[in-house]
């Protein structure tokens, strides 16, 4: 694994023109005006903070990386092709450092299951945390941090080399010795120190190390067999040099984090509004806007009602435009999602900031993503998959069929869980076809994970 700026990359061992990359620091989501999508509203003895983030490479970063790889690998026949590593985001956290240097996790959320792994925070703050959050939004560093906790795989390799003069071993063996006898002779030569075995590879498993050594010894035995009299009987010296390299992957945990203060620092920075709601007395009502934080145009939603006290508004099709209510920030707001699938409505309680982005979980939806790219890379030419959602509670049982032959072999969709999370289990099975036409059926499996990697 190599690095360019804060981006890690590796070259595909099968296709030298393909490079896989892992992004560096998370970045803010931006508004249409080009400023970070953040807002802070003071209300009474506390407030509300919203922040949109993502973890991916911007187009300018991708171009810079590609230009760098062109310079580093001038012998490539084609321009470098960049692909993201296959990873999953376990959690996204917003961590605040208090004046006494203690750390407080303000919120933990999930991200989308695919790049750019977008996530949204909507956090209610007490007075102390409100004062502390104000500082990074003015450019103060080392106060507020966004952390992405990531699961992935790391490619490791192990190389074993055997070298030395095997003239005595050639002389001890019969000309017709088989490869097993030659393997035994190689073992003896290594044990006696007549030839040398060296192994390189950091962090490799004992199993990979043993397999690599065994492969090198097999190659050495075959080479020694070819040296026996009859094929090269006039040797004055017989120098052996063979090498074997095996690769493997291992699970790794990654942490990518960014200092929010750096997003707002500098004289040209545009900072979010930090103020009490217009016309509101401390602790009094504020104007609170609610809008969708994801696309529901193809989901079974009849309408979404927002209510608090006697105030009610509805996000209605076809546009589901934002609505604004006058709310008491000390009281929760009820979000009621009504569906077109015949099932009951789902309710969730949310805070009342000035600008609220409604998440899938708040509307009773759960996102599932499936990644079959590893099967494609292993040589599979076609894959058919059946995915079922089996709810534990009031979710709507759902089924999704996948057929991959071309493209990137990834898919994602929402189902109605009527729950803030999964609210059930996923059952999936698949059939894959290899390049030689061999068909393998994989029996059904059940999981409570929403990100499936085959």
């Amino acid at each position: 694994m190599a690095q360019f700026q804060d981006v890690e990359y590796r070259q595909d061992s099968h296709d030298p023109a393909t490079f896989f990359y892992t992004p560096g620091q998370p970045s803010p989501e931006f508004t249409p005006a080009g400023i970070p999508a953040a807002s802070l509203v003071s209300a009474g003895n506390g407030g509300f903070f919203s922040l949109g983030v993502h973890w991916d490479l911007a187009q300018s970063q991708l171009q810079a990386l590609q230009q760098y790889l062109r310079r580093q690998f001038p012998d490539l026949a084609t321009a470098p092709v960049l692909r993201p590593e296959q990873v999953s985001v376990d959690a996204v956290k917003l961590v605040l450092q208090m004046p006494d240097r203690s750390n407080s996790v303000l919120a933990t959320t999930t991200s989308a299951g695919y790049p750019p792994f977008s996530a949204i925070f909507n956090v209610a703050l007490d007075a102390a945390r409100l004062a502390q959050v104000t500082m990074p939004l003015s450019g103060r560093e080392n106060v507020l941090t966004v952390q992405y906790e990531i699961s992935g795989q790391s490619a490791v390799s192990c190389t074993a080399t055997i070298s030395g003069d095997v003239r005595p071993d050639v002389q001890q063996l019969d000309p017709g010795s088989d490869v097993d006898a030659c393997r035994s002779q190689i073992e003896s030569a290594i044990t006696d120190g007549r030839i040398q075995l060296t192994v390189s590879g950091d962090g490799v498993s004992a199993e990979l190390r043993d397999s690599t050594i065994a492969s090198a010894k097999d190659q050495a035995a075959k080479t020694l067999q070819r040296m026996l009299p009859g094929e090269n009987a006039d040797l004055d010296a017989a120098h052996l040099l063979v090498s074997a390299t095996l690769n493997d992957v291992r699970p790794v945990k990654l942490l990518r984090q960014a200092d929010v203060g750096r997003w707002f620092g500098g004289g040209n920075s545009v900072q979010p509004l930090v103020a009490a709601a217009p016309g509101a007395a401390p602790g009094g009502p504020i104007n609170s806007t609610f809008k969708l934080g994801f696309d529901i145009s193809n989901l079974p939603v009849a309408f979404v009602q927002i209510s608090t006290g006697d105030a009610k508004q509805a996000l209605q099709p076809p546009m589901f435009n934002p609505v604004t209510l006058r709310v008491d920030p000390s009281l929760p707001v009820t979000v009621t999602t009504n569906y077109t699938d015949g099932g009951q409505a789902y309710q969730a309680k949310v805070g009342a900031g000035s600008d609220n982005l409604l998440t899938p979980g708040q509307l009773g939806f759960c996102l599932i993503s499936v990644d079959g790219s590893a099967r494609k890379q292993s040589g599979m030419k076609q894959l058919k998959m059946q995915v079922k959602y089996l709810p534990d509670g009031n979710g709507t049982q759902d089924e999704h069929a996948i057929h991959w032959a071309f493209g990137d072999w990834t898919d994602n969709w929402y189902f109605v869980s009527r729950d803030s999370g999964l609210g059930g289990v996923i059952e999936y099975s698949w059939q894959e076809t290899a390049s030689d036409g061999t068909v393998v059926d994989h029996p059904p499996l059940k999981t409570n994970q929403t990100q499936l990697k085959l």
Side-chain angles (χ1 to χ4, degrees), residues 226-251:
R226 291 196 297 269
M227 290 180 175
L228 296 180
E231 294 189 29
N232 203 342
D234 298 328
L235 284 175
D236 292 327
H239 188 76
L240 177 72
L241 177 61
V242 296
S243 182
T245 299
L246 298 182
N247 301 304
D248 196 7
V249 294
R250 59 181 178 181

Side-chain angles (χ1 to χ4, degrees), residues 125-418:
L125 304 171
D126 58 24
R129 288 176 172 80
L130 175 67
Q132 197 72 356
V133 167
T134 302
M135 294 189 292
L137 301 184
S138 300
R140 179 75 173 271
E141 297 182 14
N142 302 317
V143 177
L144 188 63
T145 304
V146 171
Q147 298 180 348
Y148 272 73
E149 296 179 355
I150 303 151
S151 292
Q153 292 182 328
S154 175
V156 295
S157 63
C158 182
T159 299
T161 302
I162 299 175
S163 62
D165 188 348
V166 290
R167 181 173 50 182
D169 303 283
V170 171
Q171 293 172 346
Q172 290 181 32
L173 289 167
D174 295 330
S177 297
D178 60 18
V179 72
D180 290 335
C182 293
R183 171 66 183 263
S184 297
Q185 193 68 31
I186 290 293
E187 297 276 6
S188 299
I190 292 173
T191 302
D192 296 342
R194 296 195 303 275
I195 58 177
Q196 290 72 48
L197 168 65
T198 59
V199 183
S200 62
D202 295 329
V204 301
S205 64
E207 181 180 2
L208 179 61
R209 179 186 173 90
D210 292 343
S211 296
T212 307
I213 292 174
S215 179
K217 289 179 178 178
D218 288 342
Q219 292 187 41
K222 293 176 182 177
T223 303
L224 180 61
Q225 187 181 35
R226 291 196 297 269
M227 290 180 175
L228 296 180
E231 294 189 29
N232 203 342
D234 298 328
L235 284 175
D236 292 327
H239 188 76
L240 177 72
L241 177 61
V242 296
S243 182
T245 299
L246 298 182
N247 301 304
D248 196 7
V249 294
R250 59 181 178 181
V252 294
K253 295 291 185 180
L254 305 176
L255 178 66
R256 294 292 185 266
Q257 58 186 9
D259 190 325
V260 174
R262 296 182 181 179
W263 298 347
F264 298 95
N268 297 324
S269 295
V270 179
Q271 300 179 16
L273 176 65
V274 182
I286 63 171
N287 290 326
S288 187
T289 299
F290 295 85
K291 55 188 176 183
L292 296 173
F294 65 112
D295 183 12
I296 66 170
S297 57
N298 295 316
L299 299 180
V301 178
F303 65 95
V304 179
Q305 181 175 278
I306 313 296
S307 61
T308 179
D310 295 329
K312 292 182 180 180
Q313 291 277 8
L315 285 76
Q316 297 181 336
M319 300 303 294
F320 293 97
N321 290 322
V323 297
T324 300
L325 286 77
R326 193 74 169 166
V327 304
D328 183 341
S330 65
L331 299 177
V333 175
T334 301
V335 177
T336 304
T337 303
N338 296 270
Y339 307 93
T340 60
D341 65 357
Q344 67 184 61
Y346 174 73
Q347 287 190 343
K349 301 292 185 181
V350 301
S354 64
D355 192 6
N356 302 273
L357 287 175
L358 299 175
T359 66
Q362 291 169 341
L363 269 63
F365 286 98
C366 188
L367 178 69
I368 182 170
S369 61
V370 181
D371 184 348
S373 56
R375 306 308 306 146
K376 184 178 183 180
Q377 292 175 5
S378 71
M380 296 299 111
K381 297 304 180 184
Q382 181 174 259
L383 189 146
K384 297 179 180 180
M385 187 175 185
Q386 205 72 22
V387 184
K388 295 181 181 179
Y389 169 56
L390 306 175
D392 291 335
N394 296 320
T396 300
Q397 185 169 326
D398 202 356
E399 190 166 344
H400 188 81
I402 296 172
H403 183 189
W404 286 319
F406 306 100
D408 60 3
W409 286 33
T410 60
D411 196 3
N412 58 83
W413 67 96
Y414 290 100
F415 54 78
V416 181
S417 63
R418 292 183 178 85

Side-chain angles (χ1 to χ4, degrees), residues 52-136:
V53 298
H54 66 263
W55 181 61
D56 198 10
L57 294 189
Q59 190 61 36
S60 59
Q61 293 174 297
L62 288 170
Q63 291 174 352
L65 176 58
Q66 190 173 58
Q67 292 170 1
Y68 170 79
L69 294 174
R70 282 176 183 258
R71 296 192 299 269
Q72 292 295 110
F73 300 88
D75 296 332
L76 291 178
T78 61
V81 177
L82 302 180
R83 300 187 185 279
E85 285 282 10
Q86 299 300 318
V87 299
S88 60
V89 174
D90 301 324
V92 188
K93 295 182 178 180
L94 193 62
V95 182
L96 179 67
Q97 186 178 86
M98 301 302 289
D100 64 359
R101 302 293 182 181
S102 63
N103 287 331
S104 171
V105 179
L106 291 183
T108 300
T109 187
T110 56
S111 76
Y114 49 90
F117 297 106
S118 299
I120 298 173
F121 294 104
N122 287 299
V123 187
L125 304 171
D126 58 24
R129 288 176 172 80
L130 175 67
Q132 197 72 356
V133 167
T134 302
M135 294 189 292

